[in-house]
Amino acid sequence: DFQYPHTFILLGASGDLAKKKIYPTIWYLYRDNLLPEKTKFIGYARTKQSVTDIREKCKKYIKLLPGDEEKFEKFWQSNDYFSGTYDKRVDFEMLNQLITKFEKGPVANRIFYLAVPPTVFEDVTVNIRNACVSIKGFTRVIIEKPFGRDDISSSKLSNHLAGLFKEEQMYRIDHYLGKEMVQNLMTIRFANQIFCPSWNRENIASVLISFKEPFGTEGRGGYFDDFGIIRDVMQNHLLQILSLVAMEKPVSLNPNDIRDEKVKVLRHIRPIKQEDILIGQYVGNPDGQGDEKLGYLDDPTVPKDSVTPTYALATLFINNARWQGVPFILRCGKALNERKAEVRVQYKDAPGDIFNGHAKRNELVIRVQPGEALYLKLMSKSPGMTFDLVETELDLTYSMRYREADVPDAYERLILDVFMGTQMHFVRSDELTEAWRIFTPILKELEEQHVKPVPYRYGSRGPLEADMKLGENDFKYSGSY
Ligand code: BG6
């Protein structure tokens, strides 16, 4: 299909996501000649502005390499901008005319990226369907969370979309699925016989999946307070990782075969109970300097009595033959001591101890970011005359083995996938249904009972109680996770 004209329409072109992420991404794809040669980009938003204005706004977020200038000019020449409302069909009819102008030849394809607030998802998609679908090729729609805020609103949105587009046309982004190490999970698990037979309840004690961020809500408090960390990170990014760690081997690498297995493993998880979750909210760090160290409730866009969690630790159990009884601990938080996303698969203690308790557990660590790495912690004899044990690693740190350029950005990869039509790394609607089934009851309970989150200091490791929870869930804590 790449020889035909393609139009990439970015709705919400004046917003934050567009300027910080999507424009830079399409520029990098364009620069690296990864897109079809005849690709036209159209920004669409309510603001009256020109391509030059957009270019100016994006400047801060695009890194130009020496020699890029000429191509960069050409990139902006391939851009256009159209100002219109999100709810009036007539504006979309005009947008359609603009797109049609570029579509020479018998085949032409269209990709719509919805970088708009969820309040206009429904209007925008109806208008695309009524006024803008391609009559000479494919129409694909990229949409990003929030996909509702509970099971009911999410299924309403899913039904709405299903009435307009086929599932093959829908690309629901969870950008964690675009990350190198998340994509590597299936390879690690299914291409290595060393892991295949031990990946189960007989050998694995617990699995910890963590997301840590060293900054607070910083200006996004208004949005965040409506959602909280469970909806913002845990219900999507961390649960997606969990499905890839825990699913059975798919029949093939066909996207639907993979997603069938992901849904299946989610179906084995019962909704989370209150005793399986710990929530926290960061407070100001009096030793810190400047605004950044203010507490969540000090954010002027956050209600003073908000009980929205900025930290959560939840234990999930998968009730199937492979995993029964093995705790999967999901842990995420903002305003913590570091940026880190990783999976720790902790093996059981080796039975029949002859080392007087000095042998620690094996652990397979999959570091998603920063600094992609895969390492296996194991026990070895300390070299020398003694017979002491030492914990060491088989270490595949990407920066030592590969070039930085070998690891593309998540959005680049995902947007390119949409051009190519592969849905392997996108969320299917039934996955979403299962995710909400697991999380809706606990979200409701916490909100209705106005459960107070445990305070933790900005820049700390999170609530102290969280470490205890790890111990209770058969995760032997050593070092600083
Ligand atoms: C987004 C969340 O989905 O992921 C943000 O809405 C979070 O709150 C972000 O900061 C983290 O993404 P990354 O790629 O920086 O880990």
Side-chain angles (χ1 to χ4, degrees):
D1 258 13
F2 268 40
Q3 81 233 49
Y4 301 117
H6 285 68
T7 311
F8 182 89
I9 302 106
L10 177 52
L11 298 132
S14 52
D16 241 33
L17 180 65
K19 76 173 177 218
K20 287 189 183 153
K21 210 70 221 189
I22 313 305
Y23 275 112
T25 299
I26 54 181
W27 151 246
Y28 296 133
L29 289 169
Y30 180 92
R31 180 196 64 191
D32 298 342
N33 300 319
L34 293 168
L35 298 180
E37 215 175 299
K38 294 180 209 149
T39 301
K40 182 84 193 170
F41 309 96
I42 302 179
Y44 183 104
R46 284 176 293 212
T47 319
K48 298 243 179 312
Q49 60 183 349
S50 64
V51 171
T52 319
D53 297 327
I54 294 194
R55 179 172 173 170
E56 196 51 37
K57 284 185 196 160
C58 295
K59 215 162 136 188
K60 259 198 355 224
Y61 304 102
I62 294 180
K63 270 189 268 154
L64 283 190
L65 301 174
D68 273 351
E69 294 79 8
E70 199 182 322
K71 202 151 191 189
F72 197 54
E73 285 308 316
K74 274 190 153 162
F75 169 70
W76 287 110
Q77 282 160 21
S78 313
N79 265 272
D80 210 326
Y81 178 79
F82 186 81
S83 150
T85 65
Y86 291 130
D87 58 347
K88 296 210 176 61
R89 178 171 173 156
V90 49
D91 289 345
F92 281 77
E93 282 164 358
M94 270 143 69
L95 171 65
N96 185 49
Q97 283 170 19
L98 182 65
I99 306 171
T100 312
K101 273 209 314 218
F102 307 118
E103 297 183 322
K104 308 273 177 321
V107 179
N109 300 318
R110 300 179 180 184
I111 295 172
F112 291 85
Y113 195 115
L114 266 63
V116 291
T119 43
V120 300
F121 279 176
E122 296 201 355
D123 283 343
V124 168
T125 44
V126 167
N127 283 324
I128 294 173
R129 180 72 188 84
N130 289 339
C132 290
V133 291
S134 173
I135 43 171
K136 300 202 283 190
F138 67 66
T139 301
R140 294 179 183 150
V141 179
I142 309 176
I143 179 166
E144 205 162 340
K145 73 158 204 281
F147 306 117
R149 56 188 320 287
D150 55 20
D151 51 0
I152 294 174
S153 52
S154 169
S155 84
K156 184 168 166 266
L157 177 65
S158 293
N159 291 339
H160 166 87
L161 294 172
L164 302 172
F165 303 103
K166 296 200 187 89
E167 185 64 29
E168 304 89 82
Q169 296 178 277
M170 292 298 317
Y171 288 74
R172 288 180 205 82
I173 286 205
D174 180 311
H175 79 285
Y176 266 62
L177 292 180
K179 295 193 187 259
E180 183 67 34
M181 294 312 281
V182 176
Q183 297 201 346
N184 198 3
L185 283 167
M186 277 212 299
T187 314
I188 297 165
R189 287 194 51 198
F190 300 125
N192 293 302
Q193 180 57 11
I194 197 157
F195 296 127
C196 294
S198 66
W199 208 261
N200 52 38
R201 61 195 295 268
E202 279 76 41
N203 299 287
I204 291 173
S206 57
V207 177
L208 173 64
I209 304 175
S210 309
F211 165 97
K212 298 171 81 180
E213 243 176 15
F215 46 84
T217 47
E218 259 111 271
R220 277 175 84 226
Y223 153 81
F224 188 88
D225 200 66
D226 234 14
F227 289 89
I229 197 81
I230 299 176
R231 291 184 179 91
D232 192 43
V233 172
M234 188 183 273
Q235 181 264 6
N236 37 71
H237 304 327
L238 298 192
L239 194 67
Q240 280 293 333
I241 295 179
L242 178 147
S243 356
L244 290 165
V245 170
M247 72 183 195
E248 297 299 313
K249 194 180 209 165
V251 173
S252 76
L253 286 184
N254 177 297
N256 275 333
D257 287 338
I258 295 170
R259 295 183 301 174
D260 284 349
E261 293 305 333
K262 285 170 70 192
V263 177
K264 211 159 92 195
V265 76
L266 294 180
R267 289 180 57 201
H268 286 290
I269 302 176
R270 63 166 161 71
I272 298 167
K273 295 199 185 119
Q274 238 184 78
E275 65 255 30
D276 293 331
I277 200 159
L278 171 83
I279 54 171
Q281 190 184 68
Y282 64 92
V283 294
N285 179 355
D287 308 332
Q289 309 249 307
D291 285 353
E292 276 186 21
K293 309 296 179 202
L294 288 179
Y296 180 65
L297 297 181
D298 301 322
D299 182 332
T301 56
V302 170
K304 287 286 159 257
D305 59 345
S306 168
V307 289
T308 301
T310 59
Y311 181 102
L313 182 150
T315 309
L316 281 65
F317 290 95
I318 302 168
N319 185 27
N320 66 9
R322 185 184 292 277
W323 294 119
Q324 190 185 321
V326 179
F328 280 76
I329 310 158
L330 306 185
R331 180 178 67 155
C332 51
K334 292 197 171 268
L336 295 174
N337 58 334
E338 59 181 348
R339 175 170 190 250
K340 194 179 274 179
E342 64 180 19
V343 181
R344 287 180 183 264
V345 178
Q346 193 167 93
Y347 280 76
K348 291 188 172 175
D349 294 304
D353 179 32
I354 52 168
F355 299 105
N356 298 325
H358 293 302
K360 291 189 184 160
R361 288 177 165 183
N362 291 137
E363 203 172 275
L364 179 68
V365 182
I366 299 136
R367 167 82 45 82
V368 176
Q369 67 191 30
E372 290 81 359
L374 172 70
Y375 58 95
L376 179 63
K377 299 203 326 193
L378 39 76
M379 299 310 295
S380 182
K381 181 189 156 307
S382 172
M385 294 299 196
T386 63
F387 201 78
D388 294 340
L389 263 66
V390 64
E391 185 179 50
T392 183
E393 290 113 29
L394 286 178
D395 182 2
L396 172 63
T397 293
Y398 274 40
S399 62
M400 315 280 272
R401 180 66 69 95
Y402 305 113
R403 293 173 312 148
E404 201 185 324
D406 291 334
V407 180
D409 174 77
Y411 275 91
E412 276 176 60
R413 196 183 323 236
L414 294 175
I415 290 181
L416 184 59
D417 276 355
V418 182
F419 275 88
M420 301 204 296
T422 165
Q423 289 185 308
M424 184 197 270
H425 307 297
F426 292 84
V427 182
R428 208 168 61 184
S429 86
D430 49 353
E431 287 182 79
L432 204 57
T433 309
E434 290 304 319
W436 281 119
R437 181 188 58 75
I438 296 167
F439 281 95
T440 300
I442 185 69
L443 285 163
K444 284 234 161 79
E445 247 177 81
L446 294 174
E447 281 159 14
E448 279 165 16
Q449 297 172 19
H450 214 67
V451 176
K452 270 214 151 49
V454 180
Y456 63 97
R457 288 210 323 181
Y458 194 122
S460 69
R461 296 186 53 249
L464 290 175
E465 291 84 337
D467 287 343
M468 274 152 55
K469 280 266 183 201
L470 295 185
E472 284 164 23
N473 285 299
D474 207 6
F475 187 86
K476 284 203 182 158
Y477 170 81
S478 74
S480 131
Y481 300 143

